[in-house]
Amino acid sequence: MILSWAMSILRVSTPLIFASLGGLMSERSGVINIALEGLMLIGAFTAAVVALMTHSPYLGLMAAIVAGALGGLFYAFCVLKLKANQIISGTAINLLAMGMIPLILKILYGSTGATPNLEMNERFLSFPLVLLVFICALIFALFKYTHLGLWISFSGEHPDALESAGISSDKIRWFALTCSGILASIGGASVSIYLSSGYSRNMIGGRGFMSLAAMILGRWRPKTTVLACLFFGLCDVIQMRLQSANLSIALPTQLIQIIPYLMTLIVLTGLVGKSIAPKALGK
Amino acid sequence: MKKILLPLFSTFISLLMGLLLGSVIAAFADENPLHILQIIWNSGLGSKYDLGTTLYYANALALTGYSVAVAFHAGLFNIGAEGQLNMATLMVAIVGLTFPSVSPFLGIIISFSVAMMAGALWAGIAGLLKAYRGGHEVISTIMLNIIASALASWLITLPVLRNTENQNPETRQLSLSYFVRGADPLVKFFMDSPTSSSILIIFLLAILLWAFLFRTRTGFAIRATGQNEVAAELAGLNPKLMKVIAMLIAGACAGLVAIGEVNGHTGKFLLGFSPEFGFMGIAVALLARNQPLAIPPAAFLFAILHKGAGDLDIETKNITRDLAVVIQAVVVLSISISPWLEEKILAFMVNHKWGAKE
Amino acid sequence: MLGVALELRKISKQFGQVLANHKVDLKVHVGSIHAIIGENGAGKSTAMKILCGFYHQDSGEIIVKEKKVRWPSPKEALASGIGMVYQHFMLAGTHTVFENIVLGTIDYPWSLIQKKEARLKIEKLSKYYGLALDLDVNVEKLSVGEQQRVEILKLLFRDTDILILDEPTAVLSPIEIESFFGQLRNLKNEGKTILLITHKLKEVKAIADKATIFRDGKTVAEITPADFSIEAMAELMVGRKLVGISDNRNNREEEKSSEVIISLPDFKVHAGEIVGIAGVEGNGQRTIIDQTLKLRTADSGMLPEKRLEEALMLGASLYENFLLTKWRQFSWWLSPKIIMPYVKEVLSRFDIRPLNANLIAKNFSGGNQQKFVVGRELWSLSRDLTKDNFKGPKFLLACQPTRGVDINAMEFIHQRILEQRDRGHGVLLVSSELDELLRLADRILVLYRGKIVKEFKRSEFNETKIGLAMAGGSSS
């Protein structure tokens, strides 16, 4: 019973953890990333299509990583090279992903709604969980023990200090945004080829924004961010179980759905502990 | 002259980029771009009924456009117009169902005040959080959007509100004191299309908001807050309060979508009635450079695109309505890089001695 | 004296239309303290930034330790032993002292932070040079003086032997400056070379072995400060005889006006007086400024400390910038027809070019922006029939009014402040420059840790006593 709950929480949190760690990479380096939603969409779509074509979820994931990296690079190009407003161009990337994917779907499969279903052998059974553990460990270590982690953090706190130490904060941000794209894309892929079988419209359904919320709830720190994602997962699982339990009294499942967002809002009030966003965020 | 012409030029380029990429996609999908344009044009403006539908969208887009623009003048990015208009529409429906037998005159007044108040309050939360607690408005408005739709989807399942006649996620029909569509001359003129006289609000608002922002002390204080918060604070302009006021006005504007929807179109709250008007409002405000007077035309343009693209599903083999979203995305992206673009244009003009006269 | 540590030969650098450096020559000896002096915009920082690899010279050469060099980026300059402590510290407050020091000392991103070795080295250095610090606290918890030590340790950790310090004493109290100079002498005795960018000539005389004077992008002289008087150095810096400002105060009787212009919780400003607030920055000036701002009336002006960041909306027109602080003098309906003539009045009176109030502030030169701010603050709708709107506001708050301006502008501003007093208006002058206060103020109130600890009347002005009070010492 407990194990089954733990497993389902871990499963539904997987995409969130990937994406919110992606958000964390970006925001710790000083760039607001509301394009997470679009990047997840790109990942989910690419993974499903390539898995369908090659019958291999691993190739699907690889393709999603490449697509995510490209997406992250494109966002970096807009905000770092062309100096675009981070929020506006992030919104544009979300819109672009939302609009382009159905058009491509229609050309590929004649339907705007979904890809054909993936067979069991074209999906992941548990690999994303292994990857998740690996990536979490990598990112914890990155910020705790390495110079690169220090650079990323300085790039978000005081980019001029980094520059004066002889390291280009722009380069660090290019790197961080690419990682962010890759991670968000893996998150998206784990929705389409791990949690479900194939891509369908609205599949991401705000998970990108949810990851952003989790990262804020986790106060821009890797460990607490992962915990926040698990908490979001818990709320999700409670809601699903309640829905399927078919209780005679109609419990408002929507209200349970609200809890994570309400909590994030409360964190934004700064009344519980102080908010510690990177100082140069958005600049 | 440079001050006006340059943004105008780069806005034009942004639109062109959108259309260009749209055409490229159409060409890739084996469709003639001109044919696509023709479909959009005909479907958006082809008949009185079509025009009426386009105006219905334009109404909502202009209102959300104002919402985004006013907040922007205070330096705030209001992604929350969607949640604000949902809350407002829901509240108008709830209040209308609670007090069904009032005179139509009172009904309209109640609708207006409830719509504006509900929208303002919902946006005000984000404004307060930003001004006094430093919580980023982008995050809080996204959260408020999600909370609003979850709250709405729960409330309409309650027996007191629920429409028992069908399975749609919607409230019961409001009384004719609120649902005044039948008496609206504009509805008749546009062959019973979704639009209504509420469209007149947006023209009035354009002038009012322009005068407010550019001619009054409070409007000036809001814009100063957006320009340089520290300086505004030192000058005694109370930027914190201004942020809250700007968000209240922004929310009230978005809330007015409820009038066109409930009083003018359906007479009830239907979950998901808005095809993300709030997000499209961002594109409208950006295209209009946040100038209230430019928002109605910008809204009209995007309304044609949105309405026209709807027919692409049926009229073409390979292209869908999503083309409109892509075009919007490209326009937004191009505008986001327009400061860079304008700088390049200026540099080009200086290098080629074009700017010599000014 | 030992060998030459570094040499700049005929360095020129142009930014757009501006010739920032023109054939700059500089020779610094090993183990010396070399002052770089000059007015704002004289080209000091450009030359130093070229030396550190931030900019690249258009022509000329840099010779360091007898080798011709050209840095692709600051990194290479750092690697060959040249480092700079900036006026605004390059430290991230949410990171520890240790992290701030080791930042960027390793080239390989994935290499682990070597805590033990690095700590040992830092501890050794801090003992050796007498720069005591706790390595594990977050930098934001340190005092300004301690933060400066972190900056210096950062350079020493990198084995820097040529240290460039940009206005290092601006944030220190007179007492702290003494101990800071002690540290500098330590460094010098250990063979480090120090370049000191400053505009405080008194300090140059006190500590520098040599000084190079910059004027209008050129190096005009290399002198031995010990042989020069401060006045002579100042004249070299400005390039003309200094006449000083006219102040008729000493000729007239001390008249006590009883009219109170503004009444703060701790003191009052009377008509016809300049009240000076002395104190090291961060000792409660902010509170006094905030209190004053709350009490101000429509007829008041303010010169904030960071003129361009705090007094201008760079993206808005001058018309709107005029309104920014003058909105109190107009009704809630802002009609350009009524207001525009006043803006034009300011522009023409203060000779601000181009004479177009619709242009946005960003498009004006720094000098014109400064003039506009001063002009705007001295503008006040006339209260009498003379229709002269430049009699100045009844109350003026001036915070560090001459920071970052050249001597000409400084005299202009000082003259205006004195005029205000002579007209019977009140001025509150907050400044960290003691000389400025001694020159202008009728009374000086000394702030220490948020409290006014001492008051000096003009007849009691004494630099040592005021300096002591600023550091919290009692002087009775």
Side-chain angles (χ1 to χ4, degrees), chain A residues 102 106 112 201 252 254 269, chain B residues 77 133 153-154 317 320 322 340:
Chain A
K106 172 96 177 179
T112 59
R201 198 168 199 147
Q254 292 94 341
T269 63
Chain B
F77 205 85
R133 310 298 320 175
S153 70
W154 169 60
K317 220 165 78 225
T320 68
D322 301 291
W340 174 84

Side-chain angles (χ1 to χ4, degrees), chain C residues 437-456:
Chain C
L437 291 167
L438 294 173
R439 190 182 194 188
L440 299 176
D442 295 293
R443 287 194 282 149
I444 293 180
L445 308 175
V446 182
L447 272 181
Y448 180 71
R449 298 219 170 133
K451 284 202 186 79
I452 293 172
V453 289
K454 204 102 178 69
E455 176 174 346
F456 295 88

Side-chain angles (χ1 to χ4, degrees), chain A residues 201-214:
Chain A
R201 198 168 199 147
N202 296 332
M203 155 166 270
I204 297 304
R207 278 196 177 86
F209 296 127
M210 212 187 207
S211 321
L212 215 54

Side-chain angles (χ1 to χ4, degrees), chain A residues 74 82 84 87-89 92 95-96 99-100 102-103 106 112 201 209 213 216 252 254 258 261-262 268-271, chain B residues 25 77 129 133 135 138-140 142-143 146-147 150 153-154 286 317-318 320 322 325-326 329 332-333 336-337 340:
Chain A
F74 179 67
L82 304 184
I87 292 161
I88 299 177
S89 48
L95 280 173
L96 206 57
M100 283 300 282
L103 286 173
K106 172 96 177 179
T112 59
R201 198 168 199 147
F209 296 127
I216 289 163
Q254 292 94 341
I258 286 178
Y261 304 106
L262 214 54
L268 285 178
T269 63
L271 292 175
Chain B
I25 290 170
F77 205 85
L129 276 180
R133 310 298 320 175
V138 168
I139 305 297
S140 60
I142 290 174
M143 298 302 116
I146 303 174
I147 294 174
S153 70
W154 169 60
L286 286 173
K317 220 165 78 225
N318 297 329
T320 68
D322 301 291
V325 181
V326 175
V332 170
L333 199 61
S336 80
I337 62 166
W340 174 84

Side-chain angles (χ1 to χ4, degrees), chain B residues 46-95:
Chain B
S47 69
K48 266 191 187 173
Y49 182 85
D50 288 330
L51 180 61
T53 312
T54 302
L55 284 177
Y56 161 74
Y57 290 129
N59 175 53
L61 291 186
L63 290 170
T64 53
Y66 293 138
S67 177
V68 175
V70 171
F72 213 96
H73 277 291
L76 301 174
F77 205 85
N78 179 18
I79 303 202
E82 188 68 20
Q84 291 143 26
L85 68 89
N86 266 319
M87 268 333 252
T89 314
L90 179 66
M91 285 306 151
V92 170
I94 291 177
V95 172

Side-chain angles (χ1 to χ4, degrees), chain A residues 39-48 50-51 57-72 124 181-190 192-193:
Chain A
L39 292 166
M40 282 186 90
L41 274 169
I42 293 171
F45 174 72
T46 317
V50 175
Y58 294 96
L59 287 177
L61 185 66
M62 291 290 284
I65 289 175
V66 173
L70 289 177
F124 280 126
I182 291 174
L183 288 171
S185 189
I186 297 177
S190 61
S192 68
I193 60 174

Side-chain angles (χ1 to χ4, degrees), chain A residues 16-210:
Chain A
L16 291 183
I17 296 176
F18 279 122
S20 60
L21 288 178
L24 185 120
M25 286 292 279
S26 162
E27 303 227 340
R28 281 295 288 275
S29 83
V31 181
I32 299 174
N33 195 347
I34 67 166
L36 283 184
E37 181 82 6
L39 292 166
M40 282 186 90
L41 274 169
I42 293 171
F45 174 72
T46 317
V49 169
V50 175
L52 269 171
M53 283 198 238
T54 61
H55 308 294
S56 158
Y58 294 96
L59 287 177
L61 185 66
M62 291 290 284
I65 289 175
V66 173
L70 289 177
L73 281 169
F74 179 67
Y75 182 50
F77 178 73
C78 291
V79 298
L80 299 175
K81 187 83 190 162
L82 304 184
K83 308 277 175 229
N85 178 305
Q86 297 173 359
I87 292 161
I88 299 177
S89 48
T91 308
I93 287 176
N94 287 341
L95 280 173
L96 206 57
M98 274 184 238
M100 283 300 282
I101 289 171
L103 286 173
I104 302 173
L105 264 180
K106 172 96 177 179
I107 294 171
L108 287 179
Y109 303 108
S111 138
T112 59
T115 59
N117 270 346
L118 289 163
E119 303 291 328
M120 275 319 278
N121 65 346
E122 292 166 340
R123 290 174 54 190
F124 280 126
L125 286 175
S126 57
F127 178 72
L129 289 179
V130 179
L131 188 64
L132 184 73
V133 172
F134 174 71
I135 287 202
C136 283
L138 194 68
I139 289 185
F140 293 165
L142 173 75
F143 282 105
K144 197 157 182 205
Y145 298 113
T146 70
H147 276 272
L148 181 61
L150 201 57
W151 298 351
I152 294 175
S153 181
F154 264 78
S155 164
E157 293 285 343
H158 197 327
D160 288 341
L162 194 62
E163 298 274 349
S164 77
I167 297 156
S168 151
S169 79
D170 255 20
K171 268 189 203 156
I172 296 298
R173 288 178 178 185
W174 275 94
F175 169 78
L177 286 181
T178 312
C179 289
S180 182
I182 291 174
L183 288 171
S185 189
I186 297 177
S190 61
V191 180
S192 68
I193 60 174
Y194 171 57
L195 293 187
S196 28
S197 51
Y199 175 86
S200 60
R201 198 168 199 147
N202 296 332
M203 155 166 270
I204 297 304
R207 278 196 177 86
F209 296 127
M210 212 187 207

